[in-house]
Amino acid sequence: MSGRLARQSSSSENSGPIIDERKRKRMVSNRDSARRSRMRKQQHLDEIVNQVDHLKNENEQTEMQINTHMNHYLKLESENTILRTQIIELTDRLQSMNSVLRFVEEFSGVSMDIPEIPDPLLKPWQLPCPAQPMVASANLFQW
């Protein structure tokens, strides 16, 4: 029995350094794993920060484009208002001229054969002048 006890005590003495070695290796492995985990987290954070910066820049560019388009729209809307007002004014002038010509025609007895001009307010799709083709180019739509 004493041989058996001697073997157990010697094996327990030998297993102590083995357990310590395993514990030390496990600690080193855990530290490396934690370091890699921190590096992955930092890398992910850096990617997110870069993505945020990229999206902020995109938003700024989009806002600038919207402002440019809005300014262009407002300019065109203003020009359209001016043109509509001019159409009304010119239509009124034309109607006045036609009534003067009819008056002259009635009192002079000479037939002038005055054509009827459509009223743009009653029929906005009928223009008071012949339709002209509109020419557009791609350059008009580039900013």
Side-chain angles (χ1 to χ4, degrees), residues 3 14 25 28 35 38 48 51 62 67-69 73 86 91-92 99 109 119 121-122 132-133:
N14 290 340
K25 283 182 180 179
V28 168
R35 182 181 50 81
R38 285 190 301 273
I48 290 174
Q51 188 177 11
T62 303
N67 289 336
T68 301
H69 290 300
Y73 166 78
Q86 288 175 345
T91 302
D92 287 345
S99 65
D119 187 352
L121 296 176
L122 297 176
Q132 298 290 325

Side-chain angles (χ1 to χ4, degrees), residues 2-49:
S2 64
R4 190 173 172 184
L5 285 175
R7 272 188 271 160
Q8 283 180 351
S9 68
S10 68
S11 77
S12 66
E13 288 174 6
N14 290 340
S15 67
I18 292 174
I19 291 174
D20 288 342
E21 182 63 23
R22 284 182 186 168
K23 191 174 182 181
R24 188 189 63 76
K25 283 182 180 179
R26 190 72 196 138
M27 287 174 54
V28 168
S29 174
N30 285 346
R31 284 184 191 138
D32 287 345
S33 178
R35 182 181 50 81
R36 286 191 307 271
S37 177
R38 285 190 301 273
M39 287 175 58
R40 279 192 306 271
K41 279 184 179 179
Q42 185 62 45
Q43 184 179 10
H44 184 67
L45 180 64
D46 292 344
E47 289 173 3
I48 290 174
V49 167

Side-chain angles (χ1 to χ4, degrees), residues 31-98:
R31 284 184 191 138
D32 287 345
S33 178
R35 182 181 50 81
R36 286 191 307 271
S37 177
R38 285 190 301 273
M39 287 175 58
R40 279 192 306 271
K41 279 184 179 179
Q42 185 62 45
Q43 184 179 10
H44 184 67
L45 180 64
D46 292 344
E47 289 173 3
I48 290 174
V49 167
N50 288 337
Q51 188 177 11
V52 165
D53 289 341
H54 176 73
L55 291 173
K56 281 182 180 179
N57 288 337
E58 266 187 37
N59 281 346
E60 288 175 7
Q61 289 177 355
T62 303
E63 284 180 18
M64 286 175 28
Q65 287 178 344
I66 287 171
N67 289 336
T68 301
H69 290 300
M70 184 58 74
N71 288 337
H72 186 67
Y73 166 78
L74 293 173
K75 180 182 173 191
L76 290 175
E77 188 65 31
S78 174
E79 289 175 8
N80 280 343
T81 302
I82 291 169
L83 290 173
R84 286 185 188 108
T85 304
Q86 288 175 345
I87 285 175
I88 292 170
E89 181 184 341
L90 291 173
T91 302
D92 287 345
R93 285 185 184 181
L94 182 60
Q95 288 175 347
S96 295
M97 291 299 296
N98 281 341

Side-chain angles (χ1 to χ4, degrees), residues 124-137:
W125 58 90
Q126 292 180 346
L127 298 175
C129 57
Q132 298 290 325
M134 293 176 54
V135 179
S137 70

